Amino acid sequence: DAGITQSPRHKVTETGTPVTLRCHQTENHRYMYWYRQDPGHGLRLIHYSYGVKDTDKGEVSDGYSVSRSKTEDFLLTLESATSSQTSVYFCAISESTGTRDTQYFGPGTRLTVL
Amino acid sequence: LAKTTQPISMDSYEGQEVNITCSHNNIATNDYITWYQQFPSQGPRFIIQGYKTKVTNEVASLFIPADRKSSTLSLPRVSLSDTAVYYCLVGDRNNAGNMLTFGGGTRLMVKP
């Protein structure tokens, strides 16, 4: 399995508080992604990164920000968490830019916003 | 964006062959077709990828007709452990990244 870890694995927080989720990889892959998964919606892309300090928005980026200061770390921040952001968050990495790219996923973080 | 359509769910029995078909009418010339498997409480896992005709690995086969507007994932002799959600994805690119769009997937239930 690809070396991807996510922390924390579970978190319960209250509405209005800031939350940061961390994705760490040991594969030195260029691309990193954050997805959220909700019942009935499959996985939806939040933000992605194509290099250090290079990020872009995905399908559902409102309310989220990201940062990537090192190749191995990609942080997802909820500046002021809302109950609608209760979800399971997955980080993924990929090596190449080609359409034959394969994404490798982390174990996920279950976030509950009360 | 290239969109995919798959059945929401399928049932099968142990030992049977399972075929899951995905429609992707707007697939682009350079797009590849990729299938992922997801077990409960885990991230998706790559199964197989192809561009045209047939691809086979130790886990599955992928059949892609000449027009590439659909693809079929074939799982031979499924077992209970193959119960999972299967996602069909078509490579979709924007200006700077490599975004793959996950649809709702197909929930496969394998029964004894």
Side-chain angles (χ1 to χ4, degrees), chain A:
Chain A
D1 289 340
I4 311 170
T5 57
Q6 292 184 231
S7 58
R9 294 293 313 281
H10 302 271
K11 185 171 181 66
V12 179
T13 190
E14 295 187 350
T15 297
T17 60
V19 177
T20 296
L21 308 182
R22 179 183 184 235
C23 177
H24 179 78
Q25 61 150 327
T26 59
E27 306 297 322
N28 200 36
H29 283 1
R30 178 181 176 185
Y31 290 80
M32 299 186 75
Y33 311 79
W34 277 107
Y35 292 87
R36 62 177 289 174
Q37 185 169 39
D38 306 293
H41 287 279
L43 284 93
R44 293 182 290 175
L45 182 67
I46 304 171
H47 281 279
Y48 68 98
S49 169
Y50 47 97
V52 173
K53 298 186 179 179
D54 292 323
T55 65
D56 207 344
K57 297 179 180 180
E59 180 185 3
V60 289
S61 59
D62 288 347
Y64 301 94
S65 63
V66 290
S67 65
R68 191 170 179 198
S69 59
K70 298 183 292 183
T71 298
E72 58 266 34
D73 289 327
F74 192 32
L75 304 180
L76 177 70
T77 298
L78 292 66
E79 299 291 347
S80 178
T82 67
S83 58
S84 65
Q85 294 175 313
T86 292
S87 186
V88 179
Y89 292 85
F90 288 101
C91 172
I93 64 174
S94 66
E95 183 174 17
S96 71
T97 62
T99 51
R100 299 195 66 181
D101 170 82
T102 298
Q103 293 192 7
Y104 299 95
F105 285 81
T109 294
R110 184 173 296 275
L111 175 67
T112 302
V113 183
L114 302 176

Side-chain angles (χ1 to χ4, degrees), chain B residues 21 26 67 83 95 111:
Chain B
T21 297
N26 296 324
D67 66 6
T83 293
N95 291 332
K111 303 175 183 178

Side-chain angles (χ1 to χ4, degrees), chain B residues 17-56:
Chain B
E17 178 183 73
V18 170
N19 295 308
I20 306 175
T21 297
C22 178
S23 297
H24 27 79
N25 292 319
N26 296 324
I27 189 169
T29 301
N30 294 329
D31 285 344
Y32 277 71
I33 300 151
T34 309
W35 286 80
Y36 286 80
Q37 175 191 56
Q38 185 178 26
F39 297 114
S41 301
Q42 295 185 25
R45 182 174 71 102
F46 170 86
I47 302 177
I48 197 166
Q49 186 179 73
Y51 184 81
K52 63 180 179 180
T53 63
K54 177 183 176 182
V55 179
T56 297

